[in-house]
Amino acid sequence: MPALSFGGALLVGLAFAASAQAADIAVKPLTKAPPVAISSWTGFYAGLGLGFRSTAADLTTTSVFEDGIPRDISDAVVSQPFDGPGLRVNPYAGFNWQVAPSWVLGVEGDVGFGRQTTILQGFRASPRAGSSSFLVDSLALTAGWDASLRGRAGYLLTPATMAYVTGGLAWQQFDVTSVCVGATCNNALPAVVSNSATRTGWTLGGGLETALWGNWLLRADYRYADFGTTPFTMARTRSGAGPALTVDNFDTRLRTHTASVGLAYKFGAPVTSAGSHPLQAQAAMLPSWTGAYLGLGLGARATRTDLTATSETIGGFAFDLAERANNRPMDNTAFRASPYAGYLWQLASQWTAGVEGDFGFADRTTTREGFTSVHLADSQARGESLSIRSRWDASLRARGGYLVSPQTMLYATAGAAWQNFELTSTCTSRNCSGFFARRRRSSIRRPRRWAGRSVAAWRQSCGATGSRAPNTAMPITASPASPSHGRAAGPSSIRPSTPTTSRCGRIWRRSP
């Protein structure tokens, strides 16, 4: 049965109420309509963004040659995911043209600096080689810098706030590194093999940008990028037993999700023509944010999960894990829809407080084929797998906000968060049939006392959210083999970290 974890949440974000929805906002009576605000977005700008980049990569063995002879890999596990989120800083610059009163076109470039590494411990070469189960061996993918050159098209929701879409070319640097020094490597040389590439792909996304005061612009955006497939080769020689030369050919499929908040300076005239602060320019039409609201958010949830074997017994005897590769990264990224509702109180002309709840729908499964336990990690046969399925999430939070303009609010939010997930172990291969008597599917059966444990957590900007929950011990037990096989297995305890999630949604919302 699925598991439910309770945690905490923290968020910094941006809320916006369009002037077109003035009927939903309590406005002070006017005897005379205020002058229409005039804006000019035309001009050069430069800024700095801060956020995260979630990498989704798959390594797939395409062929293996031993001393020039192709090896049959049709029954082997040939693919493994290498996903993971990481922090990212991106300076950016561009030029806008306001081509009509409500429309803006532009061009923009950025460079992202971040270094995120996903390591699969125990792997000696490409995925087909499987795990030696020794900690000193590893296969890792590292995503480095990225860049993009894009067009932008925006629509002015108010003279000072623009919603935009953006798309164009993207570049991503990454490398794949294999380390093989364990006992099963048979003195393979070179012990470390690294392949590096910079791929060109495409990117598409959107965001919200608003003028703060003077020439300063604040934005929140999300982008997806696809860099296709890159072929790599690993070649090693051995002086011990086995083939003298082994060549592994594999493909790397790479995609990224990025979410960030940026602050830029527009050179030349400010966006709004009246005053140095939007509140001064529109003092005659100050709205009230007090009231109930509801809406729908669309975005992405990046989940960070690690499965760590804490103990394992074989036939009643403890299996020594001291030098074994007992950790499995199970990260993933999924698109997410989240209905939300809340209530706000405007405490002062520029300050608000409120409460909000949301419910997120996203269904994503990360599967590690070839794994049932640390002891059987080196079998690498089809029909063996460990998987984590992350489904719905929810939160209940307080909010505190500051109005940077009558229609735009910066806010921080924090509270409780829940995440549903399920761990499944499958063992149906020929190795399993000889070692275990039957298949064991373990959808976490957790005692009720594990639900409702509070922890510290975080949410970050751009309507981006995240939460973190404590480690939880979850046993996976296989039935003993029949006497004819002469072997039995006891419980294997696996400790997963409840996913740290990042969601980018609710970039723009209608305010009551």
Side-chain angles (χ1 to χ4, degrees):
M1 82 186 257
L4 174 65
S5 284
F6 168 82
L10 172 67
L11 173 139
V12 178
L14 182 66
F16 170 75
S19 58
Q21 285 100 29
D24 299 314
I25 303 176
V27 182
K28 295 179 180 180
L30 298 174
T31 57
K32 181 180 179 180
V36 177
I38 300 174
S39 66
S40 176
W41 287 75
T42 299
F44 177 78
Y45 62 89
L48 182 67
L50 177 64
F52 76 89
R53 180 186 64 207
S54 181
T55 303
D58 296 292
L59 270 63
T60 303
T61 303
T62 55
S63 63
V64 178
F65 292 86
E66 295 179 342
D67 293 333
I69 301 174
R71 178 167 178 172
D72 183 10
I73 59 174
S74 58
D75 291 332
V77 173
V78 296
S79 185
Q80 292 290 340
F82 285 76
D83 302 344
L87 294 177
R88 175 179 179 267
V89 177
N90 65 304
Y92 59 93
F95 193 93
N96 285 325
W97 293 270
Q98 187 163 348
V99 296
S102 297
W103 293 97
V104 176
L105 298 178
V107 61
E108 180 177 295
D110 75 331
V111 179
F113 298 96
R115 189 169 181 83
Q116 186 274 324
T117 301
T118 300
I119 301 176
L120 194 51
Q121 297 173 348
F123 268 61
R124 298 159 286 185
S126 68
R128 189 279 319 170
S131 174
S132 67
S133 78
F134 289 103
L135 186 61
V136 292
D137 300 329
S138 65
L139 181 62
L141 184 142
T142 299
W145 62 267
D146 64 83
S148 70
L149 183 60
R150 297 166 281 108
R152 293 209 310 167
Y155 178 79
L156 297 182
L157 303 170
T158 73
T161 304
M162 176 177 65
Y164 63 89
V165 294
T166 182
L169 294 175
W171 295 266
Q172 178 67 60
Q173 185 276 333
F174 68 100
D175 58 71
V176 179
T177 302
S178 169
V179 178
C180 189
V181 295
T184 61
C185 290
N186 296 326
N187 301 315
L189 293 175
V192 179
V193 177
S194 184
N195 293 271
S196 181
T198 300
R199 289 286 296 179
T200 301
W202 59 269
T203 184
L204 182 66
L208 180 72
E209 192 163 28
T210 187
L212 295 179
W213 52 85
N215 293 61
W216 293 99
L217 303 173
L218 179 69
R219 67 163 57 174
D221 65 10
Y222 162 83
R223 285 193 287 120
Y224 171 82
D226 193 318
F227 301 96
T229 300
T230 306
F232 286 129
T233 296
M234 292 184 186
R236 284 191 171 103
T237 60
R238 290 179 173 84
S239 58
L245 175 64
T246 300
V247 178
D248 282 285
N249 298 302
F250 63 97
D251 289 340
T252 301
R253 171 85 193 281
L254 183 65
R255 293 88 66 205
T256 62
H257 303 262
T258 60
S260 65
V261 172
L263 183 65
Y265 184 84
K266 177 182 177 292
F267 296 90
V271 169
T272 54
S273 59
S276 60
H277 195 291
L279 284 173
Q280 297 175 5
Q282 303 180 50
M285 49 182 295
L286 284 175
S288 171
W289 286 71
T290 298
Y293 63 92
L294 57 87
L296 178 66
L298 297 174
R301 183 183 68 201
T303 305
R304 181 66 182 269
T305 309
D306 293 296
L307 294 182
T308 302
T310 57
S311 65
E312 188 169 319
T313 59
I314 308 298
F317 296 95
F319 185 64
D320 186 8
L321 300 178
E323 297 181 356
R324 300 292 178 168
N326 64 335
N327 179 271
R328 307 281 179 260
M330 307 290 284
D331 306 338
N332 65 47
T333 302
F335 290 104
R336 174 182 180 269
S338 57
Y340 59 92
Y343 194 93
L344 282 175
W345 294 269
Q346 186 161 352
L347 307 177
S349 61
Q350 292 178 246
W351 294 97
T352 67
V355 62
E356 181 178 295
D358 73 337
F359 199 96
F361 297 94
D363 194 344
R364 184 65 184 268
T365 300
T366 299
T367 301
R368 292 272 178 215
E369 294 190 50
F371 292 97
T372 53
S373 67
V374 174
H375 184 73
L376 290 182
D378 56 352
S379 64
Q380 197 67 2
R382 293 183 185 271
E384 301 172 13
S385 67
L386 285 173
S387 66
I388 283 281
R389 182 183 184 186
S390 302
R391 294 188 288 185
W392 62 265
D393 61 86
S395 70
L396 182 61
R397 296 163 283 105
R399 297 208 310 168
Y402 177 80
L403 298 179
V404 296
S405 80
Q407 292 83 22
T408 306
M409 176 177 67
L410 290 176
Y411 65 89
T413 182
W418 294 263
Q419 176 67 60
N420 170 270
F421 65 99
E422 179 182 273
L423 171 64
T424 300
S425 173
T426 302
C427 193
T428 60
S429 68
R430 286 176 294 181
N431 295 303
C432 287
S433 64
F435 195 77
F436 298 134
R438 61 182 175 87
R439 172 187 177 180
R440 174 65 171 175
R441 176 183 172 88
S442 177
S443 298
I444 306 306
R445 300 182 180 275
R446 300 180 59 186
R448 291 183 181 178
R449 62 184 176 84
W450 287 346
R453 298 174 63 184
S454 62
V455 294
W458 53 265
R459 284 193 176 208
Q460 70 175 33
S461 326
C462 150
T465 72
S467 60
R468 185 174 179 84
N471 291 342
T472 306
M474 299 179 179
I476 294 181
T477 307
S479 301
S482 60
S484 61
H485 297 126
R487 299 158 78 181
S492 177
S493 176
I494 295 185
R495 183 178 295 272
S497 254
T498 301
T500 299
T501 62
S502 300
R503 313 174 195 107
C504 189
R506 303 199 300 278
I507 292 176
W508 175 80
R509 67 178 60 180
R510 178 176 175 176
S511 184

